[in-house]
Amino acid sequence: MGNFFLLVVGGAASGKSAYAENAMKNTGKPLTYIATAQVWDDEMRAKISAHAARRGADWTVIEAPFDLAAALRALPGDSAVLVDCATLWLTNHMLADHDLAAAEDALIAALAACPAQVCVVTNEVGQGIVPENALARRFREAQGRLNIRLAQAAGTVVQVTVGLPRVLKGASCDG
């Protein structure tokens, strides 16, 4: 496995992105942020702006809503990379009706080969009620499968709930 050392998982607005940003800053390496979000409306535009303002200007930003594997393969080895987030990346592929298994396989392979120190943020979506519609149920299952594969590949897995980190696998990153 390459340098995929940290998976940060949590619910929406749990503090997982802030934790991941701090963990990557603590590496002391040049910082790269790979954004997977697409701007669909003003609410998403505001959320993206708030995340960018919190991070500050120290980050190089790469937008990769679909080809995350290629973005990871192109990174230099001396950098700390935050992918935020796997959930939006999966959503993009699902809504575009892409081959999810192929995209997921490419992502896992790229993480294994990436020379940079990588952190991936993802949402836990399986702790709520069963969704009422087929698309939401399909998404929940796909996200669960992706999260399991990411957790298996990561050296460290941290769950963030109400802003508090809990190490599930590996060592604390003092985020």
Side-chain angles (χ1 to χ4, degrees), residues 42-60:
D42 289 339
E43 181 182 347
M44 186 56 133
R45 184 174 289 106
K47 183 174 182 169
I48 291 169
S49 294
H51 273 239
R54 183 183 65 225
R55 279 193 315 273
D58 294 338
W59 296 78
T60 298

Side-chain angles (χ1 to χ4, degrees), residues 5-9 15-27 31 33 54 59 81-84 119-122 158 160 173 175:
F5 83 108
L6 178 58
L7 176 68
V8 179
V9 61
K16 62 191 176 299
S17 292
Y19 176 86
E21 290 163 9
N22 286 332
M24 298 315 286
K25 287 178 186 176
N26 287 342
T27 68
L31 300 167
Y33 182 91
R54 183 183 65 225
W59 296 78
V81 179
L82 174 56
V83 176
D84 199 356
C119 172
V120 176
V121 172
T122 192
V158 175
V160 179
C173 297

Side-chain angles (χ1 to χ4, degrees), residues 11 18 30 32 38 44 55 74-75 82 98-101 115 118 120 124 133 142 145 147 167 175:
T32 300
Q38 296 185 81
M44 186 56 133
R55 279 193 315 273
L75 294 168
L82 174 56
H98 291 167
D99 180 341
L100 297 182
V118 180
V120 176
E124 172 56 59
N133 69 73
R145 286 189 303 273
N147 286 350
V167 177

